[in-house]
Amino acid sequence: MEAPELAVTQWFNTPAPIALAALRGRVVFLHAFQMLCPGCVAHGTPQAKKAHELFQNSDLAVIGLHTVFEHHAAMTPVSLEAFIHEYQLSFPIGVDQPGENGPIPVTMARYRMRGTPTAILIGRDGAIRHHGFGQEDDMALGAVIATLLSEPTPP
Amino acid sequence: MEAPELAVTQWFNTPAPIALAALRGRVVFLHAFQMLCPGCVAHGTPQAKKAHELFQNSDLAVIGLHTVFEHHAAMTPVSLEAFIHEYQLSFPIGVDQPGENGPIPVTMARYRMRGTPTAILIGRDGAIRHHGFGQEDDMALGAVIATLLSEPTPP
Amino acid sequence: MEAPELAVTQWFNTPAPIALAALRGRVVFLHAFQMLCPGCVAHGTPQAKKAHELFQNSDLAVIGLHTVFEHHAAMTPVSLEAFIHEYQLSFPIGVDQPGENGPIPVTMARYRMRGTPTAILIGRDGAIRHHGFGQEDDMALGAVIATLLSEPTPP
Amino acid sequence: MEAPELAVTQWFNTPAPIALAALRGRVVFLHAFQMLCPGCVAHGTPQAKKAHELFQNSDLAVIGLHTVFEHHAAMTPVSLEAFIHEYQLSFPIGVDQPGENGPIPVTMARYRMRGTPTAILIGRDGAIRHHGFGQEDDMALGAVIATLLSEPTPP
C-alpha cells in the first residue's frame, strides 16, 4: 500500500515543510507519538532518536509526527516545542493536522493508526512496509530498516 | 531547619488544600518535579509513586509539587492534569505558586531547591531531614523514609 | 522465630568463620544464592552488594550463602571463587554445608528456603524478621533494613 | 579477511560438530563469551539469544563459542552445561580448544579477539564483516545482520 501524504500544520527541526513525495527513493521511518504518552516517552521516542543517530549517514529519513488524539489542550505546539527541547530531539517533527470530525488527526486517520507510539517504515518505492503499534524491539527495528535500505532505488 | 510552608495555587488528587502544618507528627516526602523534566519522568516521579504505594499503610505523606521554573507556557495546570492522568499518579500534587520577581516559584525558592527532581524528607517534628537533587537510589530513599518513620512522634 | 545457626564448610572474604551467635545485637542480611541462578545474578546478588555498600557504616552485616541445591558439580567452591572475583563481591560469603540425605544443603533446609535468591533479615535480637523468595524491591528492602536498625539493642 | 575455522573440543545444542566451511552461503553470528564474564551474562549472551529467536526463519546461524582465557578451572564444560541449562540457551555452543602455549584458546587467538564478549559477523562469502568487543547496541547489530542477509549468495 502506498504511504499517504502527511498533513502537517507546523514543523519543528526543519527549515522547510517535508513531503513524503519529495523523499521518494529514500527509506522513511515515521514515528507517530504524543508527548504525554508514557510508552512514547519511555520507548518509542528514544528509539526514533537512536535510529536517527545510527543511520545518519544513510538514506534513512526519520520523521516525528505529533498525532494528538486525546488531551488536545494539554499537548499544544507550545508544549511540544518545550518537550522537543528538553528531550533533545533533532529530527524533523510535524504536528498532525487536527481532524474535522473528531479527535483523530488527519494523518493518523489516513494511516489507520491505532494509537501511539506507532512506527511506520516506508520503502524506497513509497510503499508502507512496516506498521507497528506499541513497543518495538530495537534489534527487529534495526533489521527492518537495514533490509529496506538494502533494496535498490526504483527508477 | 524547619520545613517552610507550601505555597500552592492549585491542587490535584486531594479534596482539600494541604498544609504542612496540619501534617505535623507525620513524615512527609515532598517530590518536586516538572512534567517536562526527563529525569523526573524517568526516575523521580515513578519513585514517588512507588513510595506512595509501598508506605500507604504508614504515617508517610507523599506530596508532589509542580515547581515550574522554565518553559512556563508549556507546563500549565491544564497540561499537568493530563500528565497526572496519563502517568496514573494518585498522590496529592500541588502547583507551586509563580514567583513575583523571576522564573522560580515561591515554594521552590523557600526550600532553595537547585532544580528538578528534588526529594525532600520532613520528619515528624517538621524539620527537613533530607534534601536531595537529582536521581535518588531506591534503597537509600527507602531507608531514609523508614528511619524517619521509626522516630517517636513529638508531644 | 530465632534464626538457626549457619552451617558453612568454607568462607570467602573473611579472615575467620562467622557465626550468627557472634553477631547478636547487629542486624544481619543473609543473601542465599547460587552462582548459576539467573535471578540471583541479575537482581539478588547486586542488591546484596548495594546493601553492603549503602549500610557500610551501620550495624548491618551482609552475609552471602551459596546454597547449591542443583547442578552441584557445576558450582563448586573453585567456580564460586572465580564468580566472587569477577562480580567484585567483597562481603563475606559462605558455602552452605551439603545435605546428607538429598540435594538441599544444611542451612537452606534449616531456614526452609524455597529456592534462590532468598533474602533473610535477622533483627538485633536474633529473630528472623523477613524471609523473601525471589526478586525483592530495593525500596522495600531498604525500608526493612532501616526499620530493624532503628530498633534498640537488646540487653 | 576470511573467517578462520573453529577449533572446538565439545559441542552443546547440536547433534553434530559444526564447521564454518559447511555454513558457506549463510550469514554467521559468532558470539564468543565466558560464563563468568559479567558483561557476557548481562548483555552479550542475551543478545545472541535474541538474535537466534528473531532471525530463526532466515539464513542466519548463531553460534556460541566458550572462549575461556581466565579462571580455567572454574569454567569447565560441566559448569558450562549447567549455565546453558539455567539460561535456557538453545543455539549451538562450542568449547574453544585450549591453547598449547598460554591461557588463550585456539579459536580466540585465530580471530585475535581482545576479550569477551566478542561479536563476529561472517558474510555469505565467508569473510569477517564485523568484529566487535564489548557491549553492542541491539539496533546496530540487527542492522548489520540484516544487511549481510540481504547480500546475494555467492555462486
Side-chain angles (χ1 to χ4, degrees):
Chain A
M1 175 190 160
E2 181 163 324
E5 189 52 82
L6 306 175
V8 165
T9 54
Q10 186 173 349
W11 284 97
F12 294 95
N13 292 336
T14 172
I18 293 173
L20 291 184
L23 294 171
R24 191 62 59 88
R26 296 179 63 184
V27 176
V28 177
F29 174 11
L30 186 61
H31 164 58
F33 72 105
Q34 295 182 105
M35 57 174 282
L36 294 183
C37 146
C40 301
V41 173
H43 299 288
T45 304
Q47 189 176 53
K49 186 177 180 178
K50 177 185 281 194
H52 182 240
E53 292 163 1
L54 186 61
F55 294 96
Q56 60 182 314
N57 296 319
S58 78
D59 270 350
L60 180 72
V62 177
I63 299 175
L65 186 68
H66 199 225
T67 53
V68 180
F69 64 91
E70 57 187 349
H71 308 299
H72 294 79
M75 294 189 272
T76 62
V78 168
S79 291
L80 176 62
E81 185 169 21
F83 176 84
I84 291 170
H85 179 267
E86 287 300 308
Y87 283 84
Q88 302 180 23
L89 308 178
S90 59
F91 51 86
I93 294 175
V95 176
D96 199 359
Q97 180 182 318
E100 294 194 353
N101 303 304
I104 310 295
V106 174
T107 316
M108 187 179 188
R110 285 181 185 166
Y111 279 83
R112 300 180 184 278
M113 297 181 196
R114 290 184 291 145
T116 53
T118 288
I120 290 173
L121 269 294
I122 303 169
R124 293 185 188 275
D125 61 354
I128 295 176
R129 301 290 296 278
H130 177 86
H131 196 305
F133 171 47
Q135 192 171 341
E136 298 267 326
D137 179 77
D138 267 6
M139 193 186 287
L141 190 69
V144 170
I145 292 172
T147 298
L148 295 181
L149 286 171
S150 75
E151 295 179 351
T153 305
Chain B
M1 175 191 161
E2 181 164 323
E5 190 51 84
L6 307 175
V8 165
T9 54
Q10 187 173 350
W11 284 97
F12 295 94
N13 292 336
T14 172
I18 293 174
L20 291 183
L23 293 172
R24 191 61 60 87
R26 296 179 64 184
V27 176
V28 177
F29 173 12
L30 187 61
H31 164 58
F33 72 105
Q34 295 182 104
M35 57 174 283
L36 294 183
C37 145
C40 301
V41 173
H43 299 289
T45 303
Q47 188 176 54
K49 185 178 180 178
K50 177 185 280 194
H52 182 240
E53 291 163 1
L54 185 62
F55 295 96
Q56 60 182 312
N57 296 317
S58 78
D59 270 351
L60 180 71
V62 176
I63 299 176
L65 186 68
H66 199 225
T67 52
V68 180
F69 64 91
E70 57 187 348
H71 307 300
H72 294 79
M75 295 188 271
T76 61
V78 168
S79 291
L80 176 61
E81 186 168 22
F83 176 84
I84 291 170
H85 179 268
E86 286 301 307
Y87 283 84
Q88 302 179 24
L89 308 178
S90 59
F91 52 86
I93 294 175
V95 176
D96 199 358
Q97 180 182 318
E100 293 195 354
N101 303 305
I104 310 295
V106 175
T107 315
M108 188 179 186
R110 285 181 184 165
Y111 279 84
R112 301 179 182 279
M113 298 180 195
R114 289 184 292 146
T116 54
T118 288
I120 289 173
L121 268 294
I122 303 170
R124 293 185 188 274
D125 62 354
I128 295 176
R129 301 291 295 278
H130 178 84
H131 196 306
F133 171 48
Q135 192 171 339
E136 299 266 327
D137 179 78
D138 267 6
M139 192 186 287
L141 190 69
V144 170
I145 293 172
T147 299
L148 296 180
L149 285 171
S150 75
E151 295 180 349
T153 305
Chain C
M1 176 190 160
E2 181 163 324
E5 190 50 84
L6 307 175
V8 165
T9 54
Q10 187 173 349
W11 284 97
F12 295 95
N13 292 335
T14 171
I18 293 174
L20 290 184
L23 294 172
R24 191 62 59 88
R26 296 179 65 182
V27 176
V28 177
F29 174 11
L30 187 61
H31 164 58
F33 73 106
Q34 295 182 106
M35 59 174 282
L36 293 185
C37 146
C40 301
V41 174
H43 299 289
T45 303
Q47 188 176 54
K49 186 177 179 177
K50 178 185 281 194
H52 182 240
E53 291 163 0
L54 185 61
F55 294 97
Q56 60 181 314
N57 296 318
S58 78
D59 269 351
L60 180 72
V62 176
I63 299 176
L65 186 68
H66 199 225
T67 53
V68 180
F69 64 92
E70 56 187 349
H71 308 299
H72 295 79
M75 295 189 270
T76 62
V78 168
S79 291
L80 176 62
E81 185 168 22
F83 177 84
I84 291 170
H85 179 268
E86 286 301 307
Y87 283 84
Q88 302 179 22
L89 307 178
S90 58
F91 52 87
I93 293 175
V95 176
D96 199 358
Q97 180 182 318
E100 294 195 353
N101 304 304
I104 311 295
V106 175
T107 316
M108 187 178 189
R110 285 181 184 166
Y111 278 84
R112 300 178 184 278
M113 298 180 194
R114 290 184 291 146
T116 54
T118 288
I120 290 173
L121 269 294
I122 303 169
R124 293 185 187 275
D125 61 354
I128 296 176
R129 301 290 296 278
H130 177 85
H131 196 305
F133 171 48
Q135 192 171 340
E136 299 265 328
D137 180 78
D138 268 5
M139 193 186 287
L141 190 70
V144 170
I145 293 172
T147 299
L148 296 180
L149 286 171
S150 74
E151 294 180 351
T153 305
Chain D
M1 175 191 163
E2 181 163 322
E5 190 51 84
L6 307 176
V8 165
T9 54
Q10 186 172 350
W11 283 98
F12 295 94
N13 293 334
T14 172
I18 294 173
L20 291 184
L23 294 172
R24 191 61 60 87
R26 296 180 64 184
V27 176
V28 177
F29 173 11
L30 186 62
H31 163 59
F33 72 105
Q34 294 182 106
M35 57 174 283
L36 294 184
C37 145
C40 301
V41 174
H43 299 289
T45 304
Q47 188 176 56
K49 186 178 180 178
K50 177 185 280 194
H52 182 240
E53 292 163 1
L54 186 61
F55 294 96
Q56 61 183 312
N57 297 318
S58 78
D59 269 350
L60 180 71
V62 176
I63 299 175
L65 186 68
H66 199 225
T67 52
V68 181
F69 64 90
E70 57 188 347
H71 308 299
H72 294 79
M75 294 188 272
T76 62
V78 168
S79 291
L80 175 62
E81 185 169 22
F83 176 83
I84 291 170
H85 179 268
E86 287 300 308
Y87 283 84
Q88 302 178 22
L89 308 178
S90 58
F91 51 87
I93 294 175
V95 176
D96 199 358
Q97 180 182 319
E100 294 194 355
N101 303 305
I104 310 295
V106 174
T107 316
M108 187 178 187
R110 285 182 183 165
Y111 279 84
R112 300 179 185 278
M113 298 181 194
R114 289 185 292 145
T116 54
T118 289
I120 290 174
L121 268 295
I122 304 169
R124 293 186 188 275
D125 61 355
I128 294 176
R129 301 290 295 277
H130 177 84
H131 196 306
F133 171 47
Q135 191 171 341
E136 299 266 325
D137 180 78
D138 267 5
M139 193 185 287
L141 190 69
V144 169
I145 293 172
T147 298
L148 296 180
L149 285 171
S150 74
E151 295 180 351
T153 305

